[in-house]
Amino acid sequence: MAAARAEDIKLDEITVSSPSPIVARPTGPVTGAGSAFPTGVLPVVTNTFSPVTVVTQQQIARDQPRTLGDALFDRPGISSTTYAPGAASRPIIRGLDNARVRIQENGIVNGGVSDLGEDHTVPVNPLVADRLEVIRGPATLRYGSGAIGGVVSAENNRVPTYIPANGYAGQVTSGYSTVDNGRLGAATVDAGKDGFAVHADGFKTANDSYAIPGGIQRNSYSESQGGSIGVSAIGDRGFVGVAFSHYDAIYAIPGGEAEQARTRLTPNQDRVISRGEYRPLDGPIEVIRYWAGYSAYRHDEIGIGGDGFEGQQAIFKNREAEVRIEAQHVPVFTTLGKLTGAIGVQADRRLINTQLEAFLPRTDSRAGAVYLFEELEVLPGTRLQAAGRIEGDRIRSTAVQFPGDYLPVDGEDPLSYRLTRRFAPKSASFGLLQDLPYGFVASLTGSYVERAPTGYELFSQGPHDATATFEIGDPTLRLERARTVEASIRHGDGPLRFEATGYYTRYTGFIYKRLTGTLCDDDFASCGSGDELRQIVYSQQNATFYGAELIGQYDALPIGNGFIGVEGQFDFVRAKFDDGTNVPRIPPYRLGGGVYLRADGWFARINLLHAFAHTQIAPFETDTPGWNDLRAEVSYTKTLDPAVYGASEVTLGLQGRNLLDDDIRNSASFKKDEILLPGRNVRLFLTARF
């Protein structure tokens, strides 16, 4: 009972690295990734100005997601595209995706082309992550206008930042899922001595086409593998390191024309990243940090073409480089309180090149930015934050002047011409973080963010067979502007872990994919007479988004050295244009809850997540019925003697998803009318730590 009461009073602080460039000086040696956070405990971050969703290493090892979308699909305020479940599923935050959600690994953009199309995978595997962080609100100013909706950050130790306390540490996990004959394995190892540290990791996953109620979702198989190796020099004043990683996969696109054509994609990426930190002994600068990365990505889209033969139908290439440098000044004690802050500069370049039946011409994008964060501790327990950012963006490609009704004119081809667009987005934010009685923390933030349109929003001009769309950009698009107010209350310690957030965003010039109702084949001349591809035009109009997110746990009854508890969650987002129509592909309202037991090495949970029917639809969309996902889990963790067993801890468990075998369709997916998400699934998982 004493152990239970100790956990009841105090949990380890959750350290997150993405929300702010202002980081407190470490109070002791860094020895690991914080893997001791209790199994099944809801992590609530209370020291940030906006809520941060955290998925811990233990949760990843139990859920064994193969994509970031899988890992985050059921978190409040977060959904995913589920275009190819288990293979291509990109996170959606508060109804926003693609160009408005930045996906990064260790602070550097992921370097794929998942933002160009929902059928494209994110070349980041969560199985080798120490944790996942989802950042919303003003903190996204740190990363640029492409993060206006939020940031999904996979944090790991690929560039080593610490030397393990015992000289080495690692984890091995494996699993099997019944719904798709899924097999996976992943391993990470860290080691170091005398100021040098090394890291290595690897993963491999494979699955057949998955089962759905009453059958099989054809053409939904996938396979992926990859790994990384990194080395760092670590000293008293900081560290510097570099890592190389490789990712490759093959996966199929289920449903519709893609299934009939046996469409499959073959992503391949090589990536180099470097990180460093230096803490001067004296002077006005407390610490200087940098991040730098370069990636080369390619995928082929293979299937049966219009000529009836199988082969390459499209090729996507992306080369991307990014560098960010931040300097944090020493605390300044003013008459108002202690002032801490950091200034940063960021630069990136992206070159996209497509071939064959691809919808985007060669596009060259460059950006540079400077940003500033300052925090003022007015009183103990009261903090203020202000941040600002200014960018310079340049995008160069080939534009096409389409007719106003987006239908071909007999005897005339649309005019093509080279075009360079320049933008200067500006952003600012203000936040208040206030400690309240009984361990509660409240925050209130406001932000103004401008976003430049992306290359594909400006210059798209052709067929995308994997998504069954004919995409048309608008080279005259203006800056998108968002004004947001957000309030939250959180509690992270003791038997109650809880956070609730409400937000309101007013968009001026919101850019979206508008279905015109016209069908095309593989060229613009066929639009209006074709029957294969839905015509999509990137359009712009004012919109309003508002919503709420709530999640909580309560340890109700002590049992053994742990508790029996209850948990619940609710989230919704409502999005409308000024003309009264609905923004397309918005996630449904969701409500869930359950009970859990955590004691004597055992963890058990049963939970039901209900999605309400989505009927607030955009033109040419269809209603999405509601669904129920009944989930259950049981696992046992045993502490071992490493000298005897070679491992310090082993976890073995079973996890069930969609145990009611319900028909689950994702209202935010382009494929919702063509595919179901996986049916009843039981997963066996085994994790060993050493």
Side-chain angles (χ1 to χ4, degrees):
M1 185 65 69
R5 290 306 178 194
E7 183 179 303
D8 182 25
I9 295 171
K10 185 68 176 176
L11 295 171
D12 291 340
E13 182 179 359
I14 305 167
T15 302
V16 293
S17 57
S18 300
S20 173
I22 305 170
V23 180
R25 181 183 293 272
T27 56
V30 179
T31 58
S35 60
F37 198 77
T39 298
V41 171
L42 173 68
V44 178
V45 181
T46 58
N47 60 354
T48 58
F49 284 81
S50 291
V52 178
T53 298
V54 175
V55 182
T56 64
Q57 189 180 52
Q58 299 93 323
Q59 188 69 47
I60 293 170
R62 299 201 324 267
D63 293 346
Q64 298 192 335
R66 287 168 288 192
T67 70
L68 292 177
D70 294 343
L72 299 167
F73 178 77
D74 58 357
R75 267 52 179 188
I78 310 171
S79 183
S80 61
T81 56
T82 63
Y83 200 91
S89 186
R90 180 183 170 100
I92 298 172
I93 301 176
R94 295 177 175 175
L96 304 172
D97 60 358
N98 293 352
R100 299 180 186 86
V101 174
R102 172 185 165 102
I103 297 178
Q104 64 183 31
E105 187 175 20
N106 293 318
I108 295 295
V109 68
N110 77 98
V113 293
S114 64
D115 55 332
L116 270 69
E118 287 78 4
D119 59 312
H120 303 161
T121 191
V122 178
V124 175
N125 192 297
L127 291 172
V128 293
D130 292 334
R131 66 185 179 279
L132 305 177
E133 300 174 7
V134 181
I135 304 101
R136 315 163 179 86
T140 61
L141 267 65
R142 187 183 185 190
Y143 300 104
S145 60
I148 191 172
V151 176
V152 177
S153 185
E155 299 294 327
N156 54 47
N157 201 43
R158 283 183 160 176
V159 177
T161 60
Y162 64 90
I163 296 175
N166 297 323
Y168 68 93
Q171 175 177 293
V172 177
T173 187
S174 62
Y176 175 81
S177 54
T178 60
V179 74
D180 55 4
N181 189 32
R183 299 84 67 195
L184 63 82
T188 63
V189 61
D190 293 284
K193 186 178 181 182
D194 297 331
F196 287 93
V198 295
H199 170 94
D201 64 62
F203 64 89
K204 185 175 178 62
T205 72
N207 63 273
D208 303 335
S209 293
Y210 63 80
I212 57 176
I216 297 292
Q217 189 69 64
R218 302 296 177 186
N219 212 52
S220 61
Y221 63 87
S222 68
E223 182 177 335
S224 68
Q225 52 273 320
S228 175
I229 186 167
V231 59
S232 292
I234 301 175
D236 294 337
R237 312 308 307 170
F239 73 94
V240 61
V242 64
F244 170 80
S245 62
H246 176 77
Y247 176 97
D248 67 77
I250 180 170
Y251 63 92
I253 304 296
E257 294 285 341
E259 179 181 319
Q260 296 175 21
R262 299 204 295 268
T263 300
R264 56 198 182 274
L265 278 67
T266 60
N268 183 291
Q269 184 191 59
D270 290 320
R271 192 166 184 256
V272 177
I273 61 173
S274 179
R275 295 176 58 187
E277 175 179 299
Y278 174 66
R279 293 182 175 272
L281 287 171
D282 51 30
I285 303 300
E286 183 175 27
V287 59
I288 300 172
R289 304 181 181 93
Y290 82 89
W291 297 255
Y294 172 80
S295 64
Y297 172 94
R298 169 182 171 148
H299 80 245
D300 297 350
E301 298 185 2
I302 303 169
I304 300 173
D307 57 4
F309 293 96
E310 185 173 83
Q312 289 178 327
Q313 305 303 316
I315 299 172
F316 286 77
K317 298 179 181 178
N318 183 64
R319 295 183 181 272
E320 195 160 0
E322 180 178 86
V323 61
R324 190 171 71 256
I325 303 172
E326 295 175 351
Q328 180 174 324
H329 67 70
V330 297
V332 178
F333 294 90
T334 72
T335 55
L336 296 177
K338 184 175 74 170
L339 182 70
T340 56
I343 188 170
V345 294
Q346 179 179 343
D348 56 77
R349 184 179 183 185
R350 184 181 193 186
L351 184 62
I352 300 172
N353 196 8
T354 64
Q355 300 172 23
L356 304 178
E357 294 181 359
F359 60 91
L360 184 67
R362 177 184 173 94
T363 302
D364 186 355
S365 304
R366 304 185 186 192
V370 60
Y371 53 92
L372 176 68
F373 278 68
E374 291 288 341
E375 293 181 9
L376 180 66
E377 186 176 8
V378 182
L379 297 169
T382 301
R383 285 194 292 161
L384 303 175
Q385 184 189 80
R389 180 185 180 98
I390 185 168
E391 293 184 27
D393 296 343
R394 194 213 71 180
I395 308 171
R396 177 178 295 168
S397 188
T398 301
V400 175
Q401 185 176 330
F402 289 97
D405 57 2
Y406 300 101
L407 294 173
V409 177
D410 289 341
E412 295 183 16
D413 291 329
L415 175 66
S416 297
Y417 56 99
R418 295 290 294 172
L419 179 64
T420 299
R421 294 291 310 274
R422 290 181 170 84
F423 303 91
K426 298 173 288 295
S427 304
S429 70
F430 177 81
L432 167 67
L433 186 65
Q434 178 64 57
D435 291 348
L436 299 175
Y438 307 108
F440 285 88
V441 176
S443 64
L444 177 66
T445 60
S447 63
Y448 171 82
V449 180
E450 296 180 343
R451 180 180 76 88
T454 63
Y456 55 87
E457 292 170 327
L458 294 167
F459 301 115
S460 291
Q461 50 190 260
H464 193 182
D465 287 337
T467 58
T469 55
F470 192 97
E471 304 195 8
I472 297 177
D474 181 355
T476 67
L477 291 173
R478 309 176 308 278
L479 284 173
E480 178 181 274
R481 296 175 171 88
R483 302 163 181 85
T484 300
V485 176
E486 175 182 288
S488 76
I489 185 167
R490 288 163 271 170
H491 190 277
D493 247 352
L496 176 67
R497 280 100 40 204
F498 171 89
E499 64 181 7
T501 304
Y503 60 91
Y504 177 93
T505 302
R506 174 66 178 163
Y507 283 95
T508 302
F510 183 82
I511 302 170
Y512 67 105
K513 293 180 177 180
R514 176 172 61 88
L515 287 167
T516 65
T518 298
L519 295 177
C520 307
D521 289 332
D522 285 337
D523 58 16
F524 181 67
S526 68
C527 289
S529 59
D531 59 3
E532 295 181 358
L533 309 176
R534 295 166 292 180
Q535 189 185 72
I536 286 176
V537 176
Y538 283 96
S539 303
Q540 199 165 27
Q541 65 170 303
N542 298 344
T544 300
F545 282 62
Y546 62 89
E549 301 143 8
L550 184 152
I551 188 168
Q553 279 185 342
Y554 180 65
D555 296 334
L557 297 173
I559 180 171
N561 69 345
F563 295 91
I564 292 177
V566 295
E567 60 187 358
Q569 67 179 80
F570 172 71
D571 68 313
F572 81 93
V573 57
R574 186 76 176 94
K576 294 185 66 174
F577 292 117
D578 281 6
D579 64 4
T581 60
N582 296 305
V583 175
R585 295 178 304 282
I586 294 298
Y589 290 33
R590 298 182 298 185
L591 176 66
V595 297
Y596 59 86
L597 178 148
R598 184 179 70 254
D600 301 317
W602 289 94
F603 179 74
R605 164 186 282 154
I606 185 166
N607 184 288
L608 178 69
L609 181 64
H610 172 72
F612 294 88
H614 184 67
T615 59
Q616 298 163 331
I617 58 175
F620 305 106
E621 283 190 320
T622 57
D623 291 348
T624 306
W627 46 262
N628 293 294
D629 183 3
L630 179 64
R631 298 170 289 182
E633 177 181 341
V634 60
S635 66
Y636 179 71
T637 299
K638 177 69 173 178
T639 301
L640 303 173
D641 183 354
V644 177
Y645 297 97
S648 59
E649 185 179 271
V650 173
T651 299
L652 177 66
L654 286 172
Q655 187 183 86
R657 292 290 182 100
N658 193 13
L659 294 176
L660 299 176
D661 207 26
D662 203 0
D663 289 351
I664 299 180
R665 298 184 187 273
N666 178 9
S667 63
S669 171
F670 270 105
K671 305 283 281 190
K672 71 181 184 67
D673 295 325
E674 301 173 4
I675 71 170
L676 290 168
L677 299 190
R680 183 182 295 115
N681 183 29
V682 176
R683 177 185 294 111
L684 173 68
F685 59 91
L686 173 66
T687 299
R689 298 181 179 89
F690 57 88

